[in-house]
Short mmCIF file of all heavy atoms in Angstrom, two decimals:
data_model
loop_
_atom_site.label_atom_id
_atom_site.label_comp_id
_atom_site.label_asym_id
_atom_site.label_seq_id
_atom_site.Cartn_x
_atom_site.Cartn_y
_atom_site.Cartn_z
N GLY D 1 55.97 -42.46 32.90
CA GLY D 1 56.37 -43.84 33.11
C GLY D 1 55.49 -44.85 32.42
O GLY D 1 55.93 -45.98 32.16
N VAL D 2 54.25 -44.48 32.11
CA VAL D 2 53.34 -45.39 31.41
C VAL D 2 52.75 -44.69 30.18
O VAL D 2 51.63 -44.98 29.76
CB VAL D 2 52.22 -45.90 32.35
CG1 VAL D 2 52.77 -46.83 33.39
CG2 VAL D 2 51.48 -44.73 33.00
N ALA D 3 53.50 -43.77 29.64
CA ALA D 3 53.05 -42.99 28.48
C ALA D 3 53.94 -43.30 27.29
O ALA D 3 55.09 -43.72 27.44
CB ALA D 3 53.11 -41.50 28.80
N PRO D 4 53.43 -43.09 26.07
CA PRO D 4 54.28 -43.20 24.89
C PRO D 4 55.37 -42.14 24.92
O PRO D 4 55.29 -41.16 25.68
CB PRO D 4 53.32 -42.96 23.72
CG PRO D 4 51.95 -43.07 24.30
CD PRO D 4 52.07 -42.71 25.74
N SER D 5 56.38 -42.31 24.09
CA SER D 5 57.45 -41.32 24.01
C SER D 5 57.87 -41.17 22.55
O SER D 5 57.45 -41.96 21.69
CB SER D 5 58.65 -41.74 24.86
OG SER D 5 59.19 -42.96 24.40
N SER D 6 58.68 -40.16 22.29
CA SER D 6 59.11 -39.91 20.92
C SER D 6 60.44 -39.17 20.91
O SER D 6 60.71 -38.33 21.77
CB SER D 6 58.07 -39.05 20.18
OG SER D 6 58.50 -38.75 18.86
N THR D 7 61.27 -39.50 19.93
CA THR D 7 62.43 -38.67 19.66
C THR D 7 61.96 -37.38 19.01
O THR D 7 60.85 -37.31 18.45
CB THR D 7 63.43 -39.37 18.72
OG1 THR D 7 62.87 -39.44 17.40
CG2 THR D 7 63.77 -40.77 19.20
N VAL D 8 62.79 -36.37 19.06
CA VAL D 8 62.48 -35.08 18.44
C VAL D 8 63.73 -34.56 17.74
O VAL D 8 64.81 -34.53 18.34
CB VAL D 8 62.02 -34.04 19.49
CG1 VAL D 8 61.70 -32.71 18.81
CG2 VAL D 8 60.82 -34.53 20.28
N ALA D 9 63.59 -34.18 16.48
CA ALA D 9 64.67 -33.51 15.76
C ALA D 9 64.07 -32.27 15.11
O ALA D 9 63.15 -32.37 14.29
CB ALA D 9 65.29 -34.42 14.70
N LEU D 10 64.58 -31.10 15.49
CA LEU D 10 64.04 -29.84 15.01
C LEU D 10 65.10 -29.04 14.26
O LEU D 10 66.27 -29.01 14.67
CB LEU D 10 63.53 -28.98 16.17
CG LEU D 10 62.41 -29.56 17.05
CD1 LEU D 10 62.08 -28.57 18.17
CD2 LEU D 10 61.17 -29.87 16.23
N LEU D 11 64.68 -28.39 13.20
CA LEU D 11 65.52 -27.43 12.48
C LEU D 11 64.68 -26.19 12.26
O LEU D 11 63.57 -26.26 11.73
CB LEU D 11 65.96 -28.00 11.12
CG LEU D 11 66.57 -26.99 10.14
CD1 LEU D 11 67.91 -26.47 10.65
CD2 LEU D 11 66.72 -27.61 8.75
N ARG D 12 65.23 -25.04 12.67
CA ARG D 12 64.57 -23.76 12.39
C ARG D 12 65.59 -22.85 11.73
O ARG D 12 66.70 -22.64 12.25
CB ARG D 12 64.04 -23.13 13.67
CG ARG D 12 63.29 -21.82 13.41
CD ARG D 12 62.58 -21.31 14.66
NE ARG D 12 63.53 -20.98 15.72
CZ ARG D 12 63.17 -20.59 16.94
NH1 ARG D 12 61.89 -20.50 17.27
NH2 ARG D 12 64.08 -20.31 17.84
N VAL D 13 65.19 -22.31 10.59
CA VAL D 13 66.10 -21.46 9.79
C VAL D 13 65.55 -20.05 9.75
O VAL D 13 64.38 -19.82 9.43
CB VAL D 13 66.24 -22.01 8.36
CG1 VAL D 13 67.12 -21.08 7.52
CG2 VAL D 13 66.84 -23.42 8.38
N SER D 14 66.40 -19.09 10.09
CA SER D 14 66.05 -17.67 9.99
C SER D 14 67.00 -17.01 8.99
O SER D 14 67.80 -17.68 8.34
CB SER D 14 66.15 -17.00 11.36
OG SER D 14 67.48 -17.04 11.84
N ASP D 15 66.92 -15.70 8.87
CA ASP D 15 67.77 -15.00 7.91
C ASP D 15 69.25 -15.16 8.20
O ASP D 15 70.08 -15.13 7.30
CB ASP D 15 67.42 -13.51 7.88
CG ASP D 15 66.06 -13.24 7.28
OD1 ASP D 15 65.56 -14.11 6.53
OD2 ASP D 15 65.48 -12.18 7.57
N ASP D 16 69.59 -15.34 9.49
CA ASP D 16 71.01 -15.37 9.83
C ASP D 16 71.45 -16.60 10.62
O ASP D 16 72.63 -16.74 10.93
CB ASP D 16 71.39 -14.12 10.64
CG ASP D 16 70.53 -13.96 11.90
OD1 ASP D 16 69.62 -14.78 12.12
OD2 ASP D 16 70.78 -12.99 12.65
N LEU D 17 70.52 -17.53 10.91
CA LEU D 17 70.88 -18.62 11.80
C LEU D 17 70.13 -19.90 11.44
O LEU D 17 68.95 -19.87 11.07
CB LEU D 17 70.53 -18.23 13.24
CG LEU D 17 71.24 -18.92 14.38
CD1 LEU D 17 72.75 -18.63 14.34
CD2 LEU D 17 70.67 -18.44 15.72
N ALA D 18 70.82 -21.04 11.56
CA ALA D 18 70.20 -22.37 11.49
C ALA D 18 70.28 -22.97 12.89
O ALA D 18 71.38 -23.18 13.41
CB ALA D 18 70.90 -23.26 10.48
N GLU D 19 69.13 -23.20 13.51
CA GLU D 19 69.08 -23.72 14.87
C GLU D 19 68.62 -25.18 14.85
O GLU D 19 67.69 -25.53 14.13
CB GLU D 19 68.09 -22.90 15.70
CG GLU D 19 68.43 -21.43 15.82
CD GLU D 19 67.29 -20.67 16.45
OE1 GLU D 19 67.24 -20.63 17.69
OE2 GLU D 19 66.44 -20.16 15.70
N ILE D 20 69.27 -26.01 15.68
CA ILE D 20 69.01 -27.44 15.68
C ILE D 20 68.79 -27.91 17.11
O ILE D 20 69.47 -27.45 18.04
CB ILE D 20 70.20 -28.20 15.06
CG1 ILE D 20 70.28 -27.89 13.57
CG2 ILE D 20 70.09 -29.71 15.29
CD1 ILE D 20 71.62 -28.15 12.97
N LEU D 21 67.83 -28.81 17.28
CA LEU D 21 67.61 -29.47 18.56
C LEU D 21 67.34 -30.94 18.28
O LEU D 21 66.59 -31.28 17.36
CB LEU D 21 66.41 -28.84 19.28
CG LEU D 21 66.00 -29.47 20.62
CD1 LEU D 21 65.37 -28.39 21.52
CD2 LEU D 21 65.01 -30.63 20.44
N THR D 22 67.96 -31.81 19.06
CA THR D 22 67.66 -33.24 18.94
C THR D 22 67.56 -33.85 20.32
O THR D 22 68.37 -33.57 21.21
CB THR D 22 68.71 -33.97 18.06
OG1 THR D 22 68.33 -35.34 17.92
CG2 THR D 22 70.09 -33.88 18.64
N LEU D 23 66.53 -34.66 20.50
CA LEU D 23 66.27 -35.35 21.76
C LEU D 23 65.95 -36.79 21.40
O LEU D 23 64.94 -37.07 20.77
CB LEU D 23 65.09 -34.69 22.49
CG LEU D 23 64.78 -35.17 23.90
CD1 LEU D 23 65.92 -34.83 24.86
CD2 LEU D 23 63.48 -34.54 24.41
N GLY D 24 66.84 -37.72 21.76
CA GLY D 24 66.69 -39.09 21.31
C GLY D 24 67.57 -39.36 20.11
O GLY D 24 68.40 -38.53 19.71
N ASP D 25 67.41 -40.54 19.51
CA ASP D 25 68.40 -41.03 18.55
C ASP D 25 68.08 -40.73 17.09
O ASP D 25 68.44 -41.51 16.20
CB ASP D 25 68.62 -42.54 18.73
CG ASP D 25 67.33 -43.33 18.63
OD1 ASP D 25 66.29 -42.74 18.28
OD2 ASP D 25 67.36 -44.55 18.92
N SER D 26 67.41 -39.62 16.81
CA SER D 26 67.21 -39.18 15.43
C SER D 26 68.27 -38.12 15.10
O SER D 26 68.21 -37.00 15.62
CB SER D 26 65.81 -38.58 15.24
OG SER D 26 64.82 -39.57 15.38
N PRO D 27 69.26 -38.45 14.26
CA PRO D 27 70.36 -37.52 14.02
C PRO D 27 69.97 -36.37 13.09
O PRO D 27 69.10 -36.49 12.23
CB PRO D 27 71.41 -38.41 13.34
CG PRO D 27 70.62 -39.47 12.65
CD PRO D 27 69.43 -39.73 13.54
N VAL D 28 70.67 -35.25 13.28
CA VAL D 28 70.58 -34.12 12.37
C VAL D 28 71.99 -33.88 11.84
O VAL D 28 72.94 -33.71 12.62
CB VAL D 28 70.06 -32.85 13.07
CG1 VAL D 28 69.99 -31.69 12.08
CG2 VAL D 28 68.69 -33.11 13.69
N VAL D 29 72.14 -33.89 10.53
CA VAL D 29 73.46 -33.79 9.90
C VAL D 29 73.56 -32.45 9.18
O VAL D 29 72.69 -32.12 8.36
CB VAL D 29 73.70 -34.94 8.91
CG1 VAL D 29 75.15 -34.92 8.41
CG2 VAL D 29 73.38 -36.29 9.56
N VAL D 30 74.60 -31.69 9.50
CA VAL D 30 74.76 -30.34 8.97
C VAL D 30 75.93 -30.31 8.00
O VAL D 30 77.08 -30.53 8.40
CB VAL D 30 74.99 -29.33 10.11
CG1 VAL D 30 75.12 -27.91 9.55
CG2 VAL D 30 73.86 -29.40 11.13
N GLY D 31 75.64 -30.06 6.74
CA GLY D 31 76.69 -29.91 5.74
C GLY D 31 77.24 -28.49 5.79
O GLY D 31 76.51 -27.53 5.60
#
C-alpha cells in the first residue's frame, strides 16, 4: 500500500513453446 509498483511483461521461448505473461498495462503482441 505504500510501496512502488510495476507492470510486468514476460516472454519465454523454448524449443516448442512461446509463453507470455502480462500484469498491468504493458501489452504483448503476438504475430
Side-chain angles (χ1 to χ4, degrees):
V2 291
S5 62
S6 178
T7 70
V8 180
L10 300 179
L11 167 67
R12 183 171 63 184
V13 177
S14 63
D15 291 338
D16 56 358
L17 202 63
E19 300 170 86
I20 292 159
L21 177 151
T22 183
L23 187 65
D25 56 8
S26 293
V28 180
V29 187
V30 182

